[in-house]
Amino acid sequence: MIKTSVLLLLLFLSAFVLNHTIVKNNIIKIPNNIVGIVFVLISLPLIELDASLWTGISSLLLVLLYDQLLNFSHLVNIKNAIFKTGFILGLMTLAYSGFSYFYPIILVSLFYYSQFNWKHMAIQLMGLFYPLGFVYVISKIYTPLNLFSILPKYSQNFSSALHDYYLWGFIVLAIFILSIQELYKNYYRKTEKAKKGFNILFFFSAFIISYTLLFKSFLLTHLVSIPVSILVANYLIYIKNVKFRTFLLGLLCLSFIFKFF
């Protein structure tokens, strides 16, 4: 019960930070709380699929990393943002070594925002090795400490678990397809900053899906909920018919509850 409560708290915190990030960086022009709401609704099945702190911690860290990557567009405190991306990735790698494969995303982002140079590379590597080096030293002093071997364990088979959420999955997929179509049609209307924000999301999605297929592991699959939530929220916000938007949100919520009946 305590574990589930902490997981819920982490997911709500991730939703709050994600929503704040989107509004602060004007990824979606109309300020709204729908991003956070959609993220929570999409993440709810994760509580049953994998009721572990890993789910909440990894989601929060990836949201924080995305937030700092978007800060590459700001000329003020750019070095601070670059250091934080390395530091957060270092924390993620401590939680699970597979996160080290996300490092190319940071490099691509540096190029993408025209911030790549050797000085920034050095700052980023300092941020990356700061938590890794600290834990390594501590592990040498205290032999029982072995944070490098922390691996999340799923409580049940994904295929059988997802079968219980077939209605929820179908609705999420249907809304997601509509969201992709909406973004494709109106992408040209987005600001350059917003376009880069969405493109970074696509980088994240590509890496998560590639990792899942390449290593045949579901350890990072739940993180797809972050880009999916933003895309779906972008679609819902720009729906002119408010009643239809409410209907879709209600349908998403009811599809999750329907599983228990």
Side-chain angles (χ1 to χ4, degrees):
M1 181 65 182
I2 296 178
K3 184 187 293 185
T4 302
S5 299
V6 175
L7 174 56
L8 271 173
L9 178 63
L10 288 171
L11 289 177
F12 277 109
L13 181 59
S14 299
F16 173 80
V17 176
L18 182 61
N19 200 95
H20 176 71
T21 297
I22 297 302
V23 173
K24 177 184 67 175
N25 291 280
N26 294 318
I27 303 302
I28 299 176
K29 288 184 179 181
I30 304 175
N32 209 293
N33 295 320
I34 290 184
V35 176
I37 295 173
V38 173
F39 176 79
V40 171
L41 290 176
I42 291 179
S43 299
L44 282 176
L46 297 175
I47 298 174
E48 184 173 354
L49 294 176
D50 176 28
S52 70
L53 297 182
W54 156 255
T55 303
I57 292 173
S58 57
S59 296
L60 179 59
L61 287 174
L62 188 60
V63 170
L64 291 173
L65 179 62
Y66 179 62
D67 177 54
Q68 292 304 317
L69 289 176
L70 292 180
N71 286 337
F72 283 3
S73 62
H74 305 156
L75 296 178
V76 181
N77 294 327
I78 181 65
K79 294 179 181 178
N80 186 36
I82 292 174
F83 178 85
K84 286 181 179 179
T85 56
F87 184 81
I88 294 172
L89 185 62
L91 293 177
M92 294 169 71
T93 304
L94 284 175
Y96 177 51
S97 60
F99 274 123
S100 59
Y101 290 92
F102 277 66
Y103 185 68
I105 295 181
I106 299 181
L107 291 180
V108 170
S109 298
L110 284 173
F111 277 107
Y112 197 41
Y113 286 97
S114 302
Q115 297 293 348
F116 182 84
N117 56 56
W118 293 113
K119 190 174 183 179
H120 286 170
M121 276 288 295
I123 294 173
Q124 192 177 82
L125 289 174
M126 285 176 59
L128 177 64
F129 289 112
Y130 189 85
L132 295 176
F134 178 78
V135 172
Y136 177 77
V137 172
I138 295 298
S139 65
K140 288 298 182 181
I141 298 175
Y142 300 98
T143 310
L145 186 62
N146 190 15
L147 294 179
F148 293 96
S149 63
I150 296 177
L151 290 175
K153 295 181 180 180
Y154 287 91
S155 58
Q156 56 177 316
N157 183 272
F158 246 68
S159 59
S160 60
L162 289 176
H163 183 266
D164 295 333
Y165 288 97
Y166 65 92
L167 179 60
W168 172 87
F170 175 78
I171 293 174
V172 171
L173 180 61
I175 299 177
F176 177 70
I177 292 174
L178 292 175
S179 303
I180 290 293
Q181 291 178 340
E182 192 280 335
L183 181 62
Y184 177 77
K185 292 178 180 178
N186 298 293
Y187 185 77
Y188 70 95
R189 296 182 178 179
K190 300 289 184 183
T191 63
E192 286 302 315
K193 186 177 181 179
K195 289 178 181 178
K196 289 182 178 180
F198 278 106
N199 289 338
I200 290 177
L201 284 178
F202 294 138
F203 289 146
F204 274 129
S205 302
F207 268 80
I208 294 170
I209 295 173
S210 298
Y211 184 90
T212 300
L213 296 176
L214 184 62
F215 295 96
K216 297 180 180 180
S217 170
F218 292 105
L219 294 177
L220 303 182
T221 309
H222 65 280
L223 297 174
V224 176
S225 61
I226 296 173
V228 170
S229 298
I230 297 174
L231 290 172
V232 169
N234 178 72
Y235 168 65
L236 293 177
I237 287 175
Y238 288 107
I239 292 179
K240 295 181 180 180
N241 192 326
V242 179
K243 292 183 179 179
F244 184 60
R245 177 198 306 166
T246 305
F247 168 76
L248 290 178
L249 284 172
L251 192 62
L252 192 59
C253 183
L254 288 176
S255 64
F256 171 74
I257 299 175
F258 179 76
K259 185 262 176 186
F260 298 98
F261 294 94

